[in-house]
């Protein structure tokens, strides 16, 4: 089984976010980048298929040379090879089209993507990939088993879970629950050394203009000051809730 895991290069959630050029560009200065958490769950599941079923695992990213450390980390975790599409991602549709071209050429059986990236939270790329390559698609995946060309997928739905039976080729949008957080892997020294010898192929992008562009960014409004009221001063609490918060 050939597996392709899509890896997004995203800011660490602890990073301080700023914008430049009149709030139209994301400022990457001083920002630590990591593997998108939803993608990391998918990569860990792919490692299970590699170890239990002998699957071949390739990771892919659409981005510039600055994303290669993130791909190398994925190789250190255990992926066999990496591909970088050499273009800066502009929107979800252009990313999906770049990935679809590679998927068609590589004839992958299973494509594992995160249901969304934690930077733009578009949640559109996995479904677009499936449509472009003509594969089955299941989103919000929290469980995946593959036997031959048959797959059993558990996905999260409102108020519960749904078990789906489908066939390969398959694209999934994975999320937390696809593996346990305790199963996520930290590259060890041996993995890091081996990753240096694994192939990282750079491919030039197809001619795919973006359909959308970001006009501007805006930070959330800062939270207001907190007023502390002692437990024995109920009259003041009622007054604040009524006159300031206006919730009663």
């Amino acid at each position: 089984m050939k597996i392709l895991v899509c890896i997004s290069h995203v800011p660490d959630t602890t990073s301080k976010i700023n914008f430049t050029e009149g709030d139209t560009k994301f400022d990457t200065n001083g920002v630590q980048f990591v593997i998108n958490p939803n993608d990391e769950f998918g990569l860990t599941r792919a490692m299970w298929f590699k170890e239990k079923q002998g699957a071949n695992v390739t990771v892919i990213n659409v981005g510039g040379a600055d994303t290669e450390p993130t791909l190398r980390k994925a190789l250190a975790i255990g992926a066999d090879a990496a591909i970088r599409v050499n273009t800066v991602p502009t929107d979800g549709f252009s990313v999906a089209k770049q990935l679809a071209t590679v998927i068609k050429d590589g004839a992958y059986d299973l494509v594992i993507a995160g249901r969304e990236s934690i930077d733009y939270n578009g949640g559109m790329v996995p479904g677009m990939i499936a449509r472009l390559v003509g594969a089955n698609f299941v989103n919000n995946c929290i469980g995946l088993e593959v036997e031959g060309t048959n797959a059993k997928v558990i996905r999260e739905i409102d108020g519960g879970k749904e078990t789906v039976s489908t066939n390969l080729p398959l694209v999934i949008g994975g999320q937390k629950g696809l593996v346990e957080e305790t199963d996520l892997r930290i590259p060890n020294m041996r993995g890091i050394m081996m990753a240096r010898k694994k192939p990282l192929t750079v491919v030039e992008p197809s001619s795919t203009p973006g359909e959308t562009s970001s006009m501007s960014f805006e930070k959330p409004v800062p939270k207001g000051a907190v007023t502390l009221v002692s437990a024995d001063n109920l009259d003041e609490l009622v007054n604040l809730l009524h006159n300031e918060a206006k919730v009663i």
Side-chain angles (χ1 to χ4, degrees), residues 206-229:
S206 59
S207 179
T208 305
E211 299 290 332
T212 61
S213 61
S214 298
M215 297 179 62
S216 66
F217 297 95
E218 183 178 346
K219 290 184 179 182
V221 177
K223 294 182 179 179
V226 175
T227 301
L228 299 177
V229 181

Side-chain angles (χ1 to χ4, degrees), residues 24-224:
T24 61
K25 301 290 183 182
F26 172 56
D27 186 2
T28 61
N29 290 323
V31 176
Q32 177 69 36
F33 285 84
V34 298
I35 298 175
N36 181 50
N38 286 322
D39 301 340
E40 194 168 5
F41 287 113
L43 176 60
T44 304
R45 192 60 181 165
M47 290 301 99
W48 188 92
F49 288 120
K50 176 182 176 179
E51 294 163 0
K52 303 295 183 182
Q53 301 181 8
N56 179 274
V57 178
T58 300
V59 292
I60 187 170
N61 167 262
V62 177
D66 58 308
T67 69
E68 290 191 5
T70 298
L71 286 174
R72 288 292 179 191
K73 180 180 178 181
L75 291 172
I77 288 173
D80 298 295
I83 299 171
R84 179 173 66 82
V85 182
N86 188 30
T87 184
V88 176
T90 55
D91 68 353
F93 187 53
S94 63
V95 169
K97 292 186 75 171
Q98 299 294 347
L99 294 173
T101 299
V102 175
I103 292 165
K104 289 177 181 177
D105 292 342
Y108 292 95
D109 303 298
L110 175 64
V111 177
I112 301 177
R115 70 169 187 179
E116 64 181 358
S117 61
I118 63 169
D119 48 5
Y120 291 100
N121 301 104
M124 64 183 77
V125 172
M128 288 180 173
I129 292 173
R131 177 65 179 86
L132 291 168
V133 303
N136 293 319
F137 173 57
V138 182
N139 204 16
N140 301 330
C141 290
I142 56 174
L144 175 63
E145 300 287 346
V146 178
E147 194 65 45
T149 60
N150 300 315
K152 184 174 77 172
V153 185
I154 302 173
R155 73 184 192 101
E156 190 174 62
I157 60 175
D158 288 341
K161 303 175 184 178
E162 179 184 32
T163 300
V164 178
S165 177
T166 187
N167 299 315
L168 304 181
L170 172 66
V171 179
I172 71 163
Q175 64 178 62
K176 181 179 178 180
L178 191 57
V179 298
E180 298 297 327
E181 287 191 75
T182 53
D183 293 329
L184 296 177
R185 305 182 180 191
I186 300 174
N188 55 33
M189 185 55 66
R190 182 173 181 271
I192 293 171
M193 296 302 293
M194 290 179 65
R196 296 178 180 177
K197 301 178 181 180
K198 293 180 179 179
L200 195 163
T201 304
V202 178
V203 299
E204 291 306 312
S206 59
S207 179
T208 305
E211 299 290 332
T212 61
S213 61
S214 298
M215 297 179 62
S216 66
F217 297 95
E218 183 178 346
K219 290 184 179 182
V221 177
K223 294 182 179 179

